[in-house]
Amino acid sequence: MESPLVTTEWLANHVDQPDLFLLDVSVDNVVGKEPIVYEELIIIPGSYKVSIDHELSDTETAGIHVFPKVKQIQQVAQKLGLTPKSMIVLYDDQGIYSAPRAWWIFKSYGFERVFILDGGLPKWQAEGRATAANHLEPNSQSGDSTYERNPVAVKSSKDVLSNIDSEESTVIDVRAEARFYGKAPEPRPGVRSGHIPKSCNLPFMNVLTSDGLTFKSVDELKALFDAQNFSQNASFIFSCGSGMTACIMLVAAIVAGYQNVSLYDGSWAEWGADASLPIEL
C-alpha cells in the first residue's frame, strides 16, 4: 500500500495543484495528550474545513465519534466536489491527532488518493511557511459518485467480544498504560476502568516523535512492532478511548508494513460503559 503520509515540503510544492483538496480536520477536544492551544484560527492557505465531530460522525447514533453513514460522506463529497479519485490531503492543528481518523474514514469509503500531512499545522508553522486566518468557502454541489464502506474496516463490540474466544485478531489498546490497567480514572463519566480481555497495550504516543508532532521513521515503527513479536501477517483491531487515537496506531501499523487492520469504533467509551461486556485490570 502507498504510504498514507506526505511531508510539509511535498505539500508546499504541490499545494497549488488543481486536483488537490486540502482539508483541515482539527477537533476542539484533545484527549490523551497535552493540547496545543491557539488564541485565534490559523490554517494552511487553501484549506477547507471538514468537521469530524459533525460532518464525519454519525450524530444520530448514541456514542462518541461514531463512524459516519454513507449519506454523510456523500454530503461532504458533494459540498467540496470530491470524487473517489480526488487527491485529498488531511491535516490537524496538533501535528498528528485527528487527521488519521479522517484518513481511515475516507479510505474506508473507497477514496483512493487520500493522505495525511505528517506534522500538520505545527510543523508547517515551525518551518516559517505561510498561514491564513480563514478557510475556503465550498461552492460545489457536484458529485454523483456512490460510496460503500469496506465491511472489514470497522468492528463492533459484538465482533470484538467474539474475537476474545477466536483470537483471530490482536486487539491493541492505545490508551495510556495507567488507563489500560485501571490505575487512572477514565475521563468520561459512567465508564469502567480496565481493558478488553486478551488485548495488549501499545500507547499511541509511542509511535510519535518526542514532540508528538510527527510519526517516527519507518524503521523505528517497524522496530516497535517487531518488539511485540507480531507476525507480518498479523491481523489487528485497534481501540482507544473513543476511536480517535486508535487511528494513529492503525496508520503507524500500515506505515510499518501491516495490511490487516481494522478499528473498533466504539472503543473503551462503549465497552467500558456496557456492564454486560467483560473487562480485565
Side-chain angles (χ1 to χ4, degrees):
M1 181 183 292
E2 188 176 13
S3 174
L5 308 177
V6 295
T7 65
T8 48
E9 181 180 8
W10 182 93
L11 181 60
N13 291 331
H14 293 82
V15 70
D16 294 326
Q17 192 169 308
D19 63 343
L20 188 150
F21 292 83
L22 183 59
L23 307 185
D24 177 0
V25 292
S26 305
V27 293
D28 294 331
N29 188 31
V30 176
V31 178
K33 63 179 287 188
E34 187 66 28
I36 300 172
V37 179
Y38 297 81
E39 295 183 358
E40 57 188 4
L41 179 63
I42 302 173
I43 66 166
I44 299 176
S47 305
Y48 294 98
K49 175 63 178 175
V50 175
S51 171
I52 286 182
D53 293 318
H54 301 288
E55 294 174 287
L56 294 181
S57 289
D58 179 3
T59 56
E60 298 175 356
T61 301
I64 303 170
H65 301 137
V66 179
F67 226 72
K69 294 178 179 177
V70 172
K71 66 179 182 180
Q72 293 175 278
I73 297 298
Q74 291 173 329
Q75 289 168 354
V76 169
Q78 289 173 354
K79 182 181 79 169
L80 298 176
L82 303 176
T83 74
K85 296 187 180 298
S86 295
M87 177 176 285
I88 304 170
V89 176
L90 307 161
Y91 76 91
D92 64 63
D93 62 8
Q94 300 299 306
I96 290 294
Y97 187 73
S98 52
R101 168 77 181 190
W103 182 83
W104 191 237
I105 289 171
F106 280 109
K107 292 295 286 187
S108 298
Y109 276 105
F111 287 84
E112 300 174 5
R113 303 166 67 212
V114 56
F115 304 94
I116 299 163
L117 180 62
D118 197 17
L121 176 63
K123 190 170 190 295
W124 183 271
Q125 270 191 294
E127 293 169 346
R129 303 187 190 277
T131 58
N134 295 289
H135 295 105
L136 294 179
E137 289 294 331
N139 57 9
S140 173
Q141 293 296 325
S142 64
D144 296 323
S145 300
T146 58
Y147 301 93
E148 184 176 349
R149 193 175 80 187
N150 179 348
V152 302
V154 179
K155 302 295 185 182
S156 66
S157 60
K158 182 179 179 180
D159 296 327
V160 177
L161 182 63
S162 175
N163 187 76
I164 294 174
D165 291 329
S166 70
E167 297 188 68
E168 291 181 0
S169 299
T170 298
V171 176
I172 298 182
D173 187 325
V174 310
R175 292 175 300 156
E177 182 179 303
R179 288 176 63 189
F180 181 81
Y181 288 109
K183 297 178 180 179
E186 285 298 306
R188 299 176 179 90
V191 177
R192 300 170 294 169
S193 295
H195 59 265
I196 298 166
K198 297 183 182 178
S199 61
C200 68
N201 183 223
L202 194 58
F204 76 91
M205 291 298 292
N206 290 10
V207 301
L208 302 179
T209 51
S210 58
D211 58 11
L213 299 184
T214 61
F215 281 99
K216 290 181 177 178
S217 70
V218 174
D219 288 343
E220 288 174 311
L221 293 177
K222 286 182 177 178
L224 187 148
F225 281 92
D226 287 346
Q228 310 302 313
N229 295 316
F230 298 132
S231 72
Q232 196 59 45
N233 295 322
S235 173
F236 299 123
I237 300 172
F238 294 96
S239 177
C240 59
S242 67
M244 180 73 72
T245 56
C247 294
I248 297 175
M249 188 64 68
L250 183 152
V251 169
I254 291 173
V255 172
Y258 295 90
Q259 302 297 322
N260 299 321
V261 299
S262 59
L263 170 69
Y264 171 28
D265 193 41
S267 284
W268 194 251
E270 177 184 59
W271 193 279
D274 188 342
S276 71
L277 296 174
I279 63 171
E280 288 182 347
L281 293 174

